[in-house]
Every structure is written in structure tokens, then in C-alpha cells.
């Protein structure tokens, strides 16, 4: 928040600050009356005393002129930083999700069954069944469409999406003219029942000859609802804008139509309009991908939000304050000390000079001093707690964001292994008495080149012997073992996947990671499995680093229920070591992030705690249970 911010327009937003202003003004007037009375009654006997008191009044007035604007600025700062955080998270989480879609459409467009279908040698119903399997796993899509070179729809899988025979969309022609993917968010004849559809399209080729176009339709509104529900309080809202029009509102479509929002599409930075505080954010991008030119605008009607002062009962720790705030607090201490000195000296004068008329004046001064002390303490306390509330939001939001990114990322890993297990070439080769290792390896290498979050992909037969590997030929012929392998080879459900414990493994240079597995079946029989080795160290570290609050000092960690470190940004903590933490953290079981004040390694930390909640079906409606805690530590 800018130091030169004009705080006058904002003061009405905070009744508890208004109350402090009124108290300051009333006490200042009463103090002046007392001093005037003292001067009249005491005459020259206490002239110097009350002259000194007049200077204290000036200091008290200056204190109010510094403290109140600072309190307003810190409250506006708290609101704006929270809004900015939520706006930033909303668009960055979406962009991370859509980045995965760009890989999906490129890979699926090379699927041999789709190519064979367009060549007329693979039946439509078999392909529709296969693509339904795809959307059962990648549940972010609600439609898959395949067109020919003329743009005619040859197949779609959503029975509720009735596509007119005359349907056309420029995305098909654009895809045919492009080697990469095309992304488009608009109304489309290909999905006429939706107001707008977010589509990813890719040209389908065979031996470099175009055959048609694949279109994946993303559940945009559903995804935005999930993001907003996780982020926003009832009084907060977010909409996305291109600068020309509102793309989507967070919770109330009526906001699109209200006049007060008509000129707010191009909001930049912080804007205050008719009780609404707006703040905008652009995506930071992910892996070089930035998506559509959207900007998120988060806002809150501060007038409609019930305002109350932060209370010491909810925050019983003092935060670190910057030098400007410390100087103001010292000035407040000086005012109280000066008034105390006046009272003591006045009592001495009254006793020595027998100026008894000073007694009621000093009594009044003592009472007003006590009242001023209380007002200053409350105001300074509100200031400290406002700052601490901001820090508490930071650690909770950071911990929550990190674990959300983890869940969403690993959701994709669970999808990948299950889908790749259905690759026809894998089924074909594992059904042979002597599988063609070279052919299998070539396919694995191609997949691994597209999905760089894996260090290796390997296939094993039903005796758990590895027969192909994308990145480590030395493991071919070796056995894989563990409960997760046993479950994979005894599974018959194409929706199930199995994950190794997070532990050191020779498949990851003896470091700890997860290996996601799925069953390869043919003609109703299990014939092997696929294991995909997640590159945990850089991926998890990036999640923690990206979600840590900027300009704060501290670190973040992922741990399990025993306190074992899965990943950390701490410079000296080691992976797979245990953090010595209280049971209230290790047994944390809330759906919502919380905070704690702790001492660790001799330092005081404010800690944000969030528990893995899963994403869509992942960890929510499947066979996988694995509690992971996300912790954000900020020194205070």
C-alpha cells in the first residue's frame, strides 16, 4: 500500500477506526479544557507545568494524525493483499491446469485408434468406448469431437451434446493450418448448448498427411466454480476479463450487468468504486504457457462486509513491526509518560505550594490519561493485530496453495498411468510370448519426451519383470516388487491406479519419489503393468517455492503424518528426515487451513498448515489414501 495514499475516502469503511478517531478527538478536547482550567486555577504556580502539557497535547494530536492513517493503510493493505493473492491464485491455478491440456490434445491426436478410425479401419463404437474411458480418467473434459478435413463431425462422445449437421467452427480450419495446438474460448456450433466453450484442437496426421482434427472441450465453468469455492469468502468475488468484457463472474452473474462494473473491466492495480475494492492480477505463466489474454479481477464490497477490530484474544503473539510503526508506538509511549510526569509534578507543586485547587484538575488529568492510554493501546493493538492477521492469511494461503498444486499435479499422474495402460501397442506386445522390447521402448520414449515430469516410464509383465524402459535400459530384466505391484497385477478395474510409498527407490537414483502404476489387460486378463516415475525433487520444490509469500523470510515443507520431509525449501533440512513437530500439527485433520505459533531450531515461526484434500476424483472417490501436510513457516 502506497505511503502517500489518501486515506480519507476509506475511513468510513472501518467503523472501529472511526470510533478511535472520535475517542482521540473527544479526549483531545477534554484535555485542552483540563489544561485551560488548570492554568486559570493555578495561575503562575504551575504555568510551566501546563505549558509543557500543551506541547504534549500537540504531540497527542500529531500521534492521531499519524496513527489513524497508518491503521487505515494497513487495513486496506490487508484487504488488497488478500484480494491480490486470491486473484493471482485463481488465474495461475487455471493456467497450470490448462497447460496440462495442451499436452493432452497433442498426445491424444497421435492415438492410433483415432487415426485408424479416420482411415476407416477402426469402428466408431469401439472408439467412442475408448474415448469414454479417456474422459472417465481425465474428467476435466465433457466432450471429445473428431472431424474430417472438411470440418464435418465424424464422432463425438457426449450424448447430451447434439451437434447440428451444419455445425462449423473456425478452430478446425485453424488447427489444420497449424502444427501445434489451438486454444479457443467462445460460443461454438460444436457445443451449441453452452454459452461459451473452452476448446483445445490439434491436427490429426498419419505419415505427415492430415486426416482430420481432434477437439477437446474443457469443463471451464465447472473448473472455475471449484477454484472460486476453494478461495472465496461469501462477500468476495472474482471475474475474468480481457479488458473489453467480463468473461466469467465468481458467484453472481448479476455483477456482469450492474452499471458500477461497466467501466471496471480495465482495472489496473487497486481501484475503489462505490464501496467496492478491486484489484487485478495477470498470470505468471507456467512452463512458458500463458493461455488466453485474461486478467483476474478480485473485489469485495467493504461497506457490506461487517467490520470489527482485530482482538488480542484471537491473536496472542506480537508481530515484528517496521521502523516507522515502531517510531509511532514510541511516540505514543512518550505521550503517556509525559502525562504521567505532569500528574506527578502537579501533585508535588500542589503539595509544596499548597495549591489545592490543582487537586480536581489533576484528578481529571489522571482520568483522561487513563482513557488516552486505553485508546492508544487499543489503536496500537489493532494495528499490530491487523499486521499479524495479514501474516496469518499469508501462511494459510501459501500452505493451501502448495498442497492444492500438489493434488492437482498428482491427479494428472494418476490419469496418465491409467490411460497409457490402455495403449493398444502395449496390449498387443504383452499378449505375445516374446514382446518386442524395442517397439515398446520407442513408444515409452515418445511419451516421456512429451511429459517431462517423469524421469522414466517402464513396462513389466505379469511376473513383474521389466521388459521396456523409456530412460534406463539397465533396469530391463529386473523385477519390481512391493504391495503396489501385487495390487496392480491382481487388478481388473481400469479406473484403479496404485502408487508406491514415498520412499527411496533404485528407479529414482535411490532418492524418494512416487511411482504411479496401472494394469495392462487384454481379453479380460491381466498381462502386466506400467510404472511411471515422478520427478519428485524438482517438481515438489517448485510447488513450494512458487507458493511461498514474496518478501517474507522462512521456508515451506511437505511432510507426512510422521513428520517425514518429502520436500522442503529449508537450506539445511534434509529429505526423509523428520521434523520435530507437535501432535496438533502432525494430527491436523481440518478441511480448512489453520495456523500455529511455534519455535523450531531456536527460531519463532508463524506456521500455516493445510492437509491434502485431493482434486476431483483423486483421493476423493478412488482407492488411494495418502495424507500429506503442507507447512509454510514465516519468521516473526
Amino acid at each position: 500500500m502506497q505511503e502517500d495514499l489518501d486515506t480519507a475516502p476509506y475511513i468510513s469503511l472501518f467503523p472501529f477506526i472511526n470510533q478511535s478517531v472520535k475517542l482521540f478527538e473527544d479526549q483531545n478536547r477534554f484535555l485542552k479544557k483540563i489544561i485551560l482550567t488548570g492554568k486559570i486555577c493555578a495561575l503562575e504556580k504551575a504555568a510551566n507545568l501546563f505549558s509543557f502539557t500543551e506541547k504534549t497535547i500537540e504531540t497527542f494530536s500529531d500521534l492521531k494524525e499519524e496513527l489513524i492513517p497508518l491503521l487505515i493503510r494497513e487495513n486496506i493493505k490487508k484487504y488488497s493483499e488478500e484480494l491480490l493473492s486470491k486473484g493471482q491464485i485463481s488465474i495461475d491455478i487455471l493456467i497450470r491446469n490448462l497447460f496440462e491440456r495442451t499436452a493432452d490434445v497433442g498426445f491424444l491426436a497421435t492415438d492410433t485408434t483415432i487415426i485408424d478410425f479416420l482411415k476407416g479401419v477402426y469402428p466408431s463404437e469401439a472408439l467412442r468406448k475408448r474415448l469414454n474411458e479417456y474422459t472417465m480418467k481425465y474428467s476435466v473434459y465433457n466432450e471429445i469431437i473428431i472431424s474430417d478435413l472438411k470440418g464435418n463431425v465424424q464422432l463425438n462422445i457426449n450424448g447430451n451434446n447434439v451437434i447440428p449437421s451444419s455445425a462449423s467452427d473456425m478452430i478446425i480450419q485453424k488447427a489444420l493450418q497449424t502444427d501445434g495446438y489451438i486454444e479457443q474460448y467462445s460460443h461454438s456450433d460444436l457445443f451449441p448448448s453452452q454459452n461459451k466453450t473452452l476448446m483445445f484442437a490439434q491436427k490429426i496426421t498419419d505419415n505427415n498427411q492430415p486426416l482430420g482434427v481432434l477437439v477437446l472441450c474443457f469443463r471451464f465453468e465447472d473448473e472455475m466454480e471449484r477454484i472460486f469455492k476453494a478461495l472465496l469468502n461469501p462477500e468476495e468475488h472474482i471475474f475474468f476479463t480481457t479488458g473489453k468484457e467480463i468473461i466469467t463472474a465468481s458467484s453472481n452473474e448479476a455483477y456482469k450487468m450492474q452499471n458500477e462494473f461497466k467501466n471496471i473491466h480495465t482495472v489496473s492495480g487497486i481501484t475503489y468504486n462505490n464501496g467496492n475494492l478491486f484489484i487485478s492480477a495477470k498470470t505468471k505463466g507456467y512452463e512458458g504457457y500463458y493461455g488466453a489474454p485474461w486478467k483476474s479481477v478480485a473485489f469485495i464490497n467493504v461497506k457490506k462486509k461487517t467490520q470489527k477490530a482485530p482482538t488480542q484474544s484471537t491473536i496472542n503473539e506480537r508481530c515484528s513491526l517496521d521502523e516507522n510503526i515502531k517510531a509511532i508506538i514510541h511516540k505514543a509511549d512518550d505521550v503517556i509518560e509525559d502525562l504521567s510526569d505532569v500528574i506527578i509534578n502537579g501533585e508535588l507543586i500542589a503539595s509544596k505550594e499548597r495549591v489545592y485547587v490543582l487537586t480536581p484538575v489533576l484528578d481529571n488529568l489522571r482520568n483522561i490519561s487513563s482513557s488516552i492510554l486505553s485508546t492508544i493501546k487499543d489503536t496500537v493493538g489493532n494495528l499490530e493485530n491487523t499486521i499479524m492477521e495479514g501474516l496469518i492469511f499469508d501462511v494459510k494461503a501459501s500452505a493451501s496453495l502448495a498442497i492444492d498444486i500438489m493434488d492437482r499435479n498428482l491427479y494428472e499422474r494418476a490419469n496418465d498411468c491409467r490411460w497409457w495402460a490402455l495403449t493398444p501397442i502395449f496390449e498387443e506386445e504383452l499378449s505375445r510370448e516374446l514382446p518386442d522390447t524395442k517397439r515398446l521402448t520407442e513408444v515409452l520414449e515418445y511419451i516421456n519426451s512429451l511429459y517431462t515430469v517423469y524421469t522414466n516410464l517402464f513396462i513389466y509383465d505379469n511376473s513383474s519383470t521389466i521388459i521396456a524402459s523409456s530412460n534406463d535400459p539397465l533396469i530391463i530384466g529386473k523385477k519390481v516388487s512391493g504391495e503396489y505391484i501385487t495390487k496392480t497385477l491382481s487388478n481388473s478395474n481400469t479406473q484403479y491406479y496404485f502408487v508406491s510409498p514415498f520412499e527411496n527407490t533404485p528407479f529414482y537414483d535411490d532418492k524418494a519419489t512416487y511411482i504411479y502404476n496401472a494394469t495392462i489387460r487384454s481379453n479380460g486378463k491381466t498381462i502386466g503393468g506400467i510404472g511411471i516415475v515422478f520427478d519428485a525433487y524438482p517438481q515438489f520444490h517448485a510447488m513450494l517455492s512458487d507458493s511461498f509469500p514474496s518478501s517474507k523470510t522462512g521456508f515451506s515443507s511437505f511432510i507426512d503424518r510422521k513428520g517425514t520431509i518429502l520436500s522442503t525449501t529449508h537450506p539445511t533440512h534434509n529429505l526423509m528426515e523428520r521434523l520435530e513437530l507437535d501432535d496438533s500439527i502432525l494430527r491436523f485433520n481440518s478441511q480448512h487451513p489453520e495456523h500455529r505459533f511455534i519455535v523450531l531450531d531456536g527460531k519463532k515461526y508463524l506456521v500455516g498448515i493445510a492437509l491434502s484434500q485431493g482434486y476431483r476424483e483423486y483421493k476423493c472417490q478412488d482407492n488411494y489414501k495418502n495424507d500429506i501436510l503442507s507447512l509454510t513457516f514465516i519468521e516473526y
Side-chain angles (χ1 to χ4, degrees):
M1 178 61 62
Q2 304 95 327
E3 289 299 318
D4 59 351
L5 175 72
D6 179 12
T7 58
Y10 299 96
I11 192 167
S12 62
L13 302 179
F14 304 103
F16 68 92
I17 299 180
N18 257 332
Q19 184 180 4
S20 294
V21 171
K22 187 176 184 304
L23 285 171
F24 271 114
E25 291 173 346
D26 289 347
Q27 289 162 352
N28 204 26
R29 281 194 298 269
F30 191 33
L31 192 56
K32 287 179 179 179
K33 287 180 182 179
I34 292 172
I35 301 309
L36 179 60
T37 302
K39 281 185 173 183
I40 294 171
C41 294
L43 300 177
E44 73 280 358
K45 298 288 185 181
N48 290 336
L49 177 67
F50 289 110
S51 294
F52 176 76
T53 308
E54 285 181 328
K55 292 181 181 179
T56 302
I57 292 175
E58 291 177 8
T59 304
F60 182 54
S61 297
D62 291 343
L63 178 64
K64 175 221 166 190
E65 294 305 317
E66 293 181 64
L67 193 53
I68 295 302
L70 182 59
L71 188 54
I72 295 172
R73 277 197 296 271
E74 288 298 330
N75 274 274
I76 293 296
K77 178 183 177 183
K78 184 183 76 169
Y79 273 111
S80 60
E81 288 187 348
E82 288 182 11
L83 286 176
L84 176 59
S85 174
K86 293 181 179 184
Q88 192 72 62
I89 288 171
S90 69
I91 196 164
D92 284 343
I93 282 287
L94 177 66
I95 291 302
R96 280 176 173 267
N97 192 322
L98 299 186
F99 171 76
E100 297 279 355
R101 313 296 56 99
T102 64
D104 287 350
V105 71
F107 181 66
L108 190 59
T110 65
D111 191 274
T112 56
T113 60
I114 295 177
I115 293 171
D116 287 345
F117 166 74
L118 287 174
K119 291 166 66 175
V121 295
Y122 195 85
S124 60
E125 285 309 307
L127 180 59
R128 184 173 284 108
K129 180 180 179 181
R130 176 167 168 77
L131 294 181
N132 274 321
E133 282 275 6
Y134 186 86
T135 56
M136 286 171 64
K137 294 159 182 60
Y138 297 88
S139 55
V140 293
Y141 301 114
N142 59 355
E143 175 68 296
I144 298 177
I145 298 168
I146 298 173
S147 80
D148 62 19
L149 293 173
K150 295 180 179 179
N152 300 313
V153 174
Q154 300 299 301
L155 182 144
N156 73 298
I157 66 168
N158 187 333
N160 296 320
N161 180 30
V162 180
I163 305 176
S165 58
S166 60
S168 64
D169 196 297
M170 285 301 296
I171 195 172
I172 293 176
Q173 292 306 315
K174 289 178 181 177
L176 287 170
Q177 297 166 11
T178 306
D179 289 333
Y181 69 90
I182 296 293
E183 179 181 350
Q184 175 180 299
Y185 182 61
S186 65
H187 177 72
S188 175
D189 289 346
L190 299 176
F191 213 136
S193 63
Q194 289 195 169
N195 182 36
K196 289 185 177 181
T197 302
L198 181 56
M199 298 178 291
F200 291 83
Q202 181 97 13
K203 178 170 55 181
I204 302 166
T205 63
D206 183 41
N207 294 323
N208 294 321
Q209 295 299 311
L211 297 177
V213 172
L214 169 72
V215 181
L216 300 181
C217 300
F218 181 71
R219 295 178 181 270
F220 183 75
E221 297 296 335
D222 174 73
E223 178 62 16
M224 297 313 300
E225 183 179 344
R226 289 172 184 269
I227 292 174
F228 293 145
K229 184 178 179 181
L231 280 177
L232 300 175
N233 296 321
E235 65 275 7
E236 297 169 332
H237 302 276
I238 294 177
F239 59 78
F240 280 16
T241 173
T242 59
K244 296 179 180 179
E245 62 173 331
I246 293 177
I247 300 300
T248 182
S250 62
S251 59
N252 191 334
E253 292 293 309
Y255 284 122
K256 293 183 180 180
M257 307 305 297
Q258 293 181 11
N259 289 330
E260 62 196 273
F261 293 88
K262 291 295 178 65
N263 298 317
I264 210 72
H265 308 321
T266 57
V267 64
S268 180
I270 301 171
T271 301
Y272 177 66
N273 180 30
N274 195 27
N276 293 297
L277 188 65
F278 296 86
I279 191 158
S280 64
K282 291 183 179 179
T283 182
K284 299 173 184 175
Y286 181 65
E287 300 288 341
Y289 170 77
Y290 289 85
W294 294 329
K295 177 171 61 178
S296 67
V297 179
F299 69 97
I300 185 172
N301 190 299
V302 188
K303 284 185 176 179
K304 294 179 181 178
K305 179 176 172 60
T306 302
Q307 297 293 335
K308 60 181 180 179
T311 58
Q312 195 68 30
S313 61
T314 58
I315 302 174
N316 49 22
E317 295 282 342
R318 296 177 71 90
C319 58
S320 298
L321 303 172
D322 65 32
E323 294 305 315
N324 290 333
I325 298 175
K326 286 179 180 177
I328 292 175
I329 292 175
H330 288 321
K331 185 178 288 188
D333 291 338
D334 289 343
V335 169
I336 299 303
E337 186 177 341
D338 289 347
L339 289 174
S340 178
D341 289 344
V342 168
I343 293 169
I344 293 171
N345 290 327
E347 289 174 339
L348 290 173
I349 291 171
S351 174
K352 183 177 180 180
E353 302 293 337
R354 298 186 179 184
V355 186
Y356 300 116
V357 291
L358 273 180
T359 301
V361 175
L362 294 173
D363 286 342
N364 285 333
L365 191 58
R366 187 178 293 106
N367 290 335
I368 193 64
S369 294
S370 176
S371 178
I372 288 172
L373 174 62
S374 178
T375 300
I376 290 176
K377 278 186 174 180
D378 287 346
T379 307
V380 170
N382 286 342
L383 176 60
E384 288 186 305
N385 288 330
T386 296
I387 296 170
M388 180 57 82
E389 283 182 346
L391 290 176
I392 288 172
F393 172 82
D394 285 343
V395 294
K396 289 165 62 175
S398 170
S400 183
L401 174 60
I403 202 69
D404 188 37
I405 292 173
M406 174 192 266
D407 283 340
R408 287 166 170 271
N409 189 301
L410 297 184
Y411 159 85
E412 304 290 347
R413 312 304 51 103
N415 295 343
D416 289 347
C417 71
R418 290 180 296 168
W419 176 246
W420 296 338
L422 300 179
T423 302
I425 292 175
F426 297 165
E427 297 177 14
E428 178 185 336
E429 289 298 333
L430 283 174
S431 297
R432 301 177 187 274
E433 186 173 344
L434 292 174
D436 186 337
T437 293
K438 184 175 182 296
R439 188 185 185 203
L440 291 172
T441 297
E442 287 175 350
V443 176
L444 291 177
E445 287 175 344
Y446 171 68
I447 297 173
N448 208 165
S449 70
L450 295 176
Y451 293 82
T452 56
V453 295
Y454 304 110
T455 59
N456 194 22
L457 315 178
F458 57 82
I459 289 174
Y460 45 94
D461 61 22
N462 57 10
S463 69
S464 72
T465 301
I466 296 175
I467 59 174
S469 167
S470 68
N471 209 25
D472 186 2
L474 295 179
I475 66 173
I476 295 175
K478 293 183 177 180
K479 293 272 190 178
V480 285
S481 61
E483 184 181 4
Y484 66 100
I485 297 296
T486 302
K487 288 182 176 179
T488 302
L489 293 176
S490 60
N491 170 57
S492 61
N493 190 327
T494 59
Q495 284 298 96
Y496 283 4
Y497 60 93
F498 304 92
V499 190
S500 71
F502 193 85
E503 60 187 9
N504 295 332
T505 171
F507 300 114
Y508 192 55
D509 293 331
D510 291 320
K511 296 181 295 185
T513 191
Y514 291 119
I515 301 175
Y516 281 73
N517 294 258
T519 310
I520 300 174
R521 291 172 59 81
S522 180
N523 297 320
K525 295 181 180 180
T526 295
I527 54 177
I530 182 171
I532 58 179
V533 184
F534 181 60
D535 196 3
Y537 179 79
Q539 293 295 323
F540 285 165
H541 193 276
M543 294 174 196
L544 292 173
S545 297
D546 291 348
S547 59
F548 190 80
S550 60
S551 74
K552 299 296 188 297
T553 301
F555 67 99
S556 297
S557 300
F558 289 136
I559 65 169
D560 64 16
R561 288 292 191 189
K562 296 178 180 178
T564 305
I565 299 172
L566 280 64
S567 182
T568 184
T569 59
H570 193 283
T572 62
H573 290 174
N574 296 316
L575 304 188
M576 304 308 288
E577 288 184 352
R578 288 190 181 181
L579 284 178
E580 295 300 323
L581 298 169
D582 187 82
D583 278 354
S584 68
I585 294 178
L586 296 179
R587 295 179 182 176
F588 180 79
N589 202 33
S590 173
Q591 292 185 350
H592 305 287
E594 294 181 9
H595 72 278
R596 301 283 190 275
F597 296 96
I598 70 166
V599 175
L600 183 68
D601 300 333
K603 293 182 179 179
K604 293 171 64 178
Y605 289 102
L606 171 63
V607 184
I609 315 162
L611 173 65
S612 171
Q613 300 294 322
Y615 172 66
R616 292 185 179 270
E617 302 79 27
Y618 179 72
K619 288 190 180 180
C620 298
Q621 301 169 15
D622 56 25
N623 62 326
Y624 185 46
K625 303 298 178 187
N626 182 37
D627 283 354
I628 299 298
L629 293 168
S630 172
L631 306 177
T632 297
F633 299 78
I634 289 182
E635 293 182 32
Y636 71 97

